[in-house]
Amino acid sequence: MADVTLTNVRKQFGTFVALENLDIEIKSGEFVALLGPSGCGKSTTLRMLAGLEFPTSGDISIDGRVVNDVAPGKRDIAMVFQSYALYPHMSVAENIAYPLKKRGVSAADRKVAVQKAAELLQLEPLLDRKPKQLSGGQQQRVALGRALVREPKVFLLDEPLSNLDAKLRSYMRAELIELHRRLGKTMIYVTHDQLEAMTMANRIAVMHGGKLQQFDTPDAVYNRPANRFVASFIGTPSMNQLEGQLDGALFHVAGHSIPLDRTRFADDLGTGDYALGVRPEFVAIGDGELPAKIRLVENTGHEQIVTLELTDGTRLLARTDAARRLDVGQNVQIGFHPDAIHLFAPGEEGPRLNKNDAASVIPMRSR
Amino acid sequence: MIATQTITPRLERSYARLGVLLIAPTILVFSLVIVYPLLAAIYLSVFSIYTPTLEGNFVGAANYVKLLTGKAFWNSLGVTLIWTVGTLTLQIVFGVGMALLLHQNIWFRSLARSLVLFPYFLSTVVAVLVWRWLFNDLYGAMNHGLMQLGILDLPLDWLGSMPNAMIGVILVGAWKYFPFVVIAVLARLQTIPEHLYEAAKIDGAGPIARFWDVTLPQLRNVLVVIVLLRAIWDFKEFDLIYLLTGGGPVTSTQTLSLLVYQEAFGLNQMGQAAAYSVGMMLVMLVFMVVYIRKTGKEG
């Protein structure tokens, strides 16, 4: 078990800046997800932790030791690759035993360790097979076995589930959570899938454009997103963000005014352009003053995602019960749950301007 | 259902006819240039024939008896095996080494990659003439250079004495054909997933362990094919050796191909030459069977 710290880490490939001033402190035993769209720098971060890339500047430390110049094999980390990267000519048992072999562990001890890993991951019947003869899920488990066999301080996982089909993915997700609980090791998990990050991680580092946007619990990144990027990236469908003008306690959008509870927002907000954010589940159809037209109704079985259009053409989404009868083309009045409104500064990464104590955690049913 | 049952076979029959039609030219050419000469060689091998007139008489298995009891065939088979094993080993060692080097991010990599193919593309006649000049005992650059460096005191007779002649032939063969190994190995190297190396690094494997545990196993299949193909080609190599030493001194570099040629056009014994070539073909059949079994398994 070990703390992992990145201090002011910067990574440049030629003139391209992949990561800027990254500061992350991961506590021992934590399950942390690095989440973001492709090209956000999350994989580069993981590869630097593994020692496969080196920071242009800044320090990486594992368990209090700066490892900038330490070779991957000497960092006491293990990594699971998206492609699994199993050695194709070796059997499952040989694959799992390989890191021990390279560290001079005796054949007898290797056998015991492989047996233990195989039991944990239910790989016993497969030990003599070659990777080619295994399904994706089985290969994934072998890769995990190879990672955990030598009991490293830190596990690094690079989109390990993205090559699996949806059903297997949700099964392996549960397996990984269970594995983390049993081993209690520090795990750092790269993914672009917010569902994986939200369900598995203790804390999520949301990244975008080489910068850390927010590093907090799943609950916090969902309910108290640090900025507009996090607000739009986390949640499916994502948060509605309406651009408008703030004037005192009124937010003007599409020719109408939405009254705001100013005590929930920073006190020094002046008049001007802002973005109002509200999650689809807090948009009430038929309860409010904002006129809108229903453009699309998507019924997923247990709920409906309704696309609404305001009078100026701005579109937003609402989430309602599947039982509710809504027709495309219907004119409705909509409103927002007052405690669920976020206010953001303009710009793609405009920061959230709610007061921190104003936690917008509202039970779904109260909308 | 009934309709499709009657239609499908008719359609299949017409496809089959088209298939036969398309394959016919190949079979025809194959028969003319491979099957006919093969059968003709076997036919000739039971005659004693004087090459210039192509006249002779039936001698039954006499040519084969001479093949089995005489020294010439076995001597040449030994020479052929030494040449094949020697030159092939060097080709593989240099070829794999060069491929590994050219796979690195070195300066002028693309230029080096093209230059390395040069010996392979060069006409054998031209290449051998240059090498003969280099090897020449009186005015050759090789002796000159080695004497300048102080490695040799006196000029060495490179191609006129043993074992120098065999070493010379093997070296020139390796130089001429190692680019083939480079191309094939380099192509394979580029398809080895980088993740395997990264996984091995994290698992604690150093550069040498990574070569043995990742690179070499990945090269295994391509090396099997290269070794078999090159073994077949080197086994029947003619022009390079003929031009370089002519089989000499005496018969010490006379491979089976050269023996057949010598027998047919030097000694004018076409029948005996045909018997030698049939014997040679039987030896090569062993390589062929291994090759077909190895590559067939892949498919």
Side-chain angles (χ1 to χ4, degrees):
Chain A
M1 292 216 276
D3 302 338
V4 174
T5 318
L6 291 107
T7 316
N8 205 12
V9 169
R10 179 186 168 83
K11 176 69 184 175
Q12 229 170 308
F13 294 103
T15 56
F16 173 72
V17 180
L19 281 174
E20 245 176 315
N21 307 337
L22 189 63
D23 282 297
I24 297 183
E25 244 177 84
I26 294 166
K27 287 189 278 249
S28 185
E30 228 182 343
F31 194 131
V32 166
L34 304 180
L35 175 68
S38 46
C40 72
K42 57 191 190 299
S43 285
T44 306
T45 307
L46 196 77
R47 290 170 61 79
M48 284 196 297
L49 288 172
L52 299 171
E53 303 282 355
F54 298 96
T56 310
S57 65
D59 281 334
I60 295 171
S61 58
I62 296 173
D63 207 13
R65 176 174 68 134
V66 174
V67 292
N68 287 13
D69 301 321
V70 180
K74 300 216 159 80
R75 290 190 177 196
D76 214 353
I77 47 116
M79 184 156 165
V80 176
F81 292 82
Q82 183 176 0
S83 63
Y84 319 134
L86 300 177
Y87 308 118
H89 63 289
M90 296 185 197
S91 69
V92 168
E94 287 166 336
N95 261 287
I96 296 176
Y98 188 74
L100 296 178
K101 199 175 166 187
K102 288 298 124 186
R103 282 171 176 76
V105 176
S106 75
D109 291 347
R110 288 204 301 263
K111 209 173 165 190
V112 173
V114 168
Q115 197 58 40
K116 210 174 124 197
E119 264 171 49
L120 186 68
L121 297 163
Q122 293 145 37
L123 286 169
E124 289 138 303
L126 309 174
L127 283 177
D128 293 327
R129 300 225 196 135
K130 293 278 168 68
K132 222 175 13 186
Q133 298 164 294
L134 304 178
S135 70
Q138 289 167 337
Q139 290 188 32
Q140 177 60 73
R141 293 214 299 273
V142 178
L144 276 171
R146 186 175 63 183
L148 57 84
V149 70
R150 66 188 158 86
E151 302 180 356
K153 284 183 187 152
V154 179
F155 284 96
L156 306 174
L157 302 110
D158 189 4
E159 311 220 9
L161 305 185
S162 56
N163 284 359
L164 303 177
D165 62 55
K167 201 174 160 193
L168 197 56
R169 202 179 307 159
S170 86
Y171 172 76
M172 286 304 293
R173 220 162 51 211
E175 293 272 287
L176 274 175
I177 297 169
E178 172 68 14
L179 196 66
H180 176 247
R181 205 176 52 75
R182 282 170 76 169
L183 300 174
K185 300 267 185 177
T186 311
M187 289 193 178
I188 302 170
Y189 187 103
V190 161
T191 181
H192 63 267
D193 182 344
Q194 49 162 308
L195 185 66
E196 283 177 12
M198 293 293 282
T199 53
M200 297 165 81
N202 303 123
R203 284 197 293 167
I204 301 174
V206 185
M207 299 177 72
H208 176 55
K211 279 179 271 181
L212 182 65
Q213 306 290 322
Q214 187 171 6
F215 184 36
D216 216 326
T217 60
D219 171 66
V221 293
Y222 188 82
N223 291 306
R224 296 184 295 280
N227 60 35
R228 286 184 71 179
F229 173 78
V230 178
S232 64
F233 192 73
I234 303 278
T236 357
S238 60
M239 185 188 282
N240 296 302
Q241 295 186 20
L242 305 174
E243 314 245 349
Q245 289 75 42
L246 183 69
D247 184 7
L250 290 178
F251 188 80
H252 300 290
V253 63
H256 287 78
S257 301
I258 301 165
L260 297 179
D261 175 4
R262 278 301 302 261
T263 62
R264 295 184 63 252
F265 308 104
D267 299 322
D268 54 349
L269 298 182
T271 306
D273 289 344
Y274 291 92
L276 181 149
V278 62
R279 294 215 177 266
E281 54 266 38
F282 300 116
V283 176
I285 297 175
D287 177 15
E289 289 82 49
L290 206 55
K293 185 175 259 197
I294 295 178
R295 281 295 176 198
L296 184 67
V297 178
E298 295 163 282
N299 193 331
T300 63
H302 69 288
E303 64 179 15
Q304 292 180 102
I305 307 297
V306 184
T307 306
L308 300 157
E309 193 177 280
L310 301 183
T311 47
D312 68 341
T314 308
R315 291 197 168 200
L316 71 161
L317 300 173
R319 185 179 239 163
T320 68
D321 288 331
R324 194 157 167 194
R325 175 78 203 260
L326 295 165
D327 295 316
V328 174
Q330 191 182 339
N331 285 310
V332 290
Q333 299 280 100
I334 62 168
F336 307 140
H337 194 299
D339 292 338
I341 290 175
H342 307 261
L343 208 56
F344 297 99
E348 197 192 1
E349 290 172 12
R352 180 168 175 266
L353 304 167
N354 295 45
K355 280 180 185 162
N356 268 343
D357 53 338
S360 337
V361 191
I362 306 154
M364 281 279 285
R365 286 294 144 206
S366 75
R367 68 202 158 164
Chain B
M1 277 309 285
I2 294 163
T4 56
Q5 266 172 3
T6 54
I7 284 167
T8 313
R10 196 188 298 160
L11 205 60
E12 273 178 7
R13 270 206 304 278
S14 84
Y15 280 148
R17 271 200 299 276
L18 180 68
V20 169
L21 209 67
L22 290 173
I23 206 171
T26 312
I27 290 180
L28 194 72
V29 172
F30 184 80
S31 305
L32 275 174
V33 302
I34 304 215
V35 178
Y36 169 71
L38 192 67
L39 295 176
I42 295 169
Y43 176 76
L44 286 175
S45 70
V46 292
F47 288 84
S48 171
I49 294 173
Y50 183 61
T51 308
T53 59
L54 284 181
E55 280 170 7
N57 49 313
F58 182 76
V59 292
N63 288 333
Y64 288 100
V65 171
K66 190 179 166 203
L67 180 152
L68 291 169
T69 56
K71 273 190 188 154
F73 182 81
W74 301 109
N75 173 58
S76 280
L77 181 61
V79 168
T80 309
L81 289 176
I82 292 170
W83 142 257
T84 303
V85 172
T87 196
L88 184 58
T89 308
L90 291 183
Q91 283 167 29
I92 297 291
V93 171
F94 286 142
V96 172
M98 185 59 83
L100 289 172
L101 191 68
L102 291 179
H103 188 54
Q104 308 296 316
N105 277 318
I106 52 167
W107 277 20
F108 305 119
R109 180 165 71 169
S110 40
L111 182 70
R113 279 185 184 174
S114 343
L115 280 180
V116 84
L117 304 180
F118 180 69
Y120 196 61
F121 291 147
L122 204 64
S123 147
T124 306
V125 180
V126 175
V128 168
L129 286 178
V130 172
W131 276 103
R132 272 174 61 168
W133 172 76
L134 287 170
F135 276 139
N136 191 287
D137 49 344
L138 295 177
Y139 49 84
M142 194 82 96
N143 278 338
H144 181 74
L146 290 175
M147 279 162 69
Q148 287 279 305
L149 290 171
I151 295 167
L152 288 182
D153 292 331
L154 292 168
L156 205 65
D157 187 2
W158 281 100
L159 300 174
S161 67
M162 279 298 278
N164 301 353
M166 180 55 93
I167 293 170
V169 172
I170 285 175
L171 283 177
V172 175
W175 171 83
K176 181 89 177 73
Y177 297 117
F178 89 100
F180 176 82
V181 182
V182 176
I183 302 169
V185 171
L186 196 55
R188 183 70 186 92
L189 279 177
Q190 286 164 353
T191 66
I192 301 178
E194 188 58 31
H195 278 160
L196 287 182
Y197 291 105
E198 295 179 346
K201 271 187 204 168
I202 288 170
D203 287 343
I208 296 165
R210 290 202 294 276
F211 174 76
W212 286 105
D213 295 334
V214 178
T215 310
L216 215 53
Q218 294 275 317
L219 290 181
R220 203 181 145 268
N221 285 337
V222 75
L223 282 178
V224 166
V225 173
I226 294 171
V227 166
L228 283 168
L229 276 178
R230 284 267 25 124
I232 291 166
W233 294 338
D234 290 335
F235 191 83
K236 65 185 181 61
E237 181 66 39
F238 176 78
D239 47 0
L240 188 140
I241 304 168
Y242 182 76
L243 291 164
L244 206 56
T245 65
V250 198
T251 59
S252 41
T253 57
Q254 190 180 53
T255 58
L256 285 171
S257 301
L258 269 74
L259 174 71
V260 171
Y261 178 83
Q262 171 70 9
E263 196 71 31
F265 302 106
L267 303 176
N268 286 329
Q269 294 297 319
M270 191 56 99
Q272 185 62 54
Y276 285 152
S277 68
V278 171
M280 189 179 164
M281 190 191 71
L282 290 176
V283 178
M284 288 192 48
L285 218 55
V286 178
F287 293 112
M288 287 300 297
V289 169
V290 177
Y291 176 77
I292 287 164
R293 292 183 75 168
K294 279 281 175 194
T295 52
K297 233 188 288 174
E298 299 300 315

